[in-house]
Amino acid sequence: MNIALVLSGGIGKRLISEVPKQYVTVRGKMVVIYTLQVLCSHEMIDAVHVVAERAWWEPILTELPRAAKLKGFSEPGENRQLSIFNGLKDIREYAEESDIVLVHDAVRPLVSDELIKNSI
């Protein structure tokens, strides 16, 4: 199984906004939704897991189509490495040792099909 671990727990310190950049709305959708749609629709991605503050779980679920490959959420850590660790820990509940996990930043919705294929 190929699993995309999407990091969406950052606070976006450099962006002067009340909302972290992955939750800014662009053309009617939060940036994270564009990213999740790309990953959920990719033929080689079997599951998607999101690391995000609990307050954002419901807004993500509300905007993401129900048929999405979203398997779950994890709480972020104090830094990027701990956020990845938390996500990997939770993914172990449904993943096998041989599964592949791709770590991707929620604020990067323009990930290409080619990059995903090459990474896998």
Side-chain angles (χ1 to χ4, degrees):
M1 179 162 55
N2 299 318
I3 304 162
L5 176 60
V6 179
L7 301 179
S8 191
I11 58 171
K13 282 191 269 187
R14 295 181 309 239
L15 179 68
I16 301 170
S17 173
E18 294 179 18
V19 184
K21 59 189 172 214
Q22 64 271 31
Y23 303 113
V24 169
T25 299
V26 177
R27 303 193 92 181
K29 292 185 208 173
M30 294 184 296
V31 172
V32 65
I33 298 302
Y34 289 106
T35 303
L36 292 172
Q37 286 175 329
V38 168
L39 295 169
C40 286
S41 67
H42 195 281
E43 62 187 20
M44 294 179 75
I45 300 290
D46 302 302
V48 176
H49 195 97
V50 179
V51 177
E53 292 288 346
R54 191 172 294 269
W56 292 104
W57 295 6
E58 189 59 38
I60 290 170
L61 287 171
T62 299
E63 285 196 42
L64 198 61
R66 297 288 177 229
K69 300 173 185 177
L70 184 63
K71 285 287 242 183
F73 290 93
S74 297
E75 293 277 353
E78 291 182 30
N79 58 43
R80 185 177 182 85
Q81 290 77 17
L82 290 174
S83 291
I84 293 169
F85 178 75
N86 289 349
L88 291 173
K89 219 170 36 171
D90 292 341
I91 285 172
R92 287 187 64 98
E93 292 178 17
Y94 57 86
E96 302 291 329
E97 285 289 325
S98 60
D99 289 345
I100 295 170
V101 177
L102 299 123
V103 179
H104 189 73
D105 193 312
V107 78
R108 307 281 183 246
L110 300 178
V111 59
S112 70
D113 179 64
E114 183 179 0
L115 180 61
I116 294 170
K117 285 181 182 178
N118 289 343
S119 295
I120 292 171

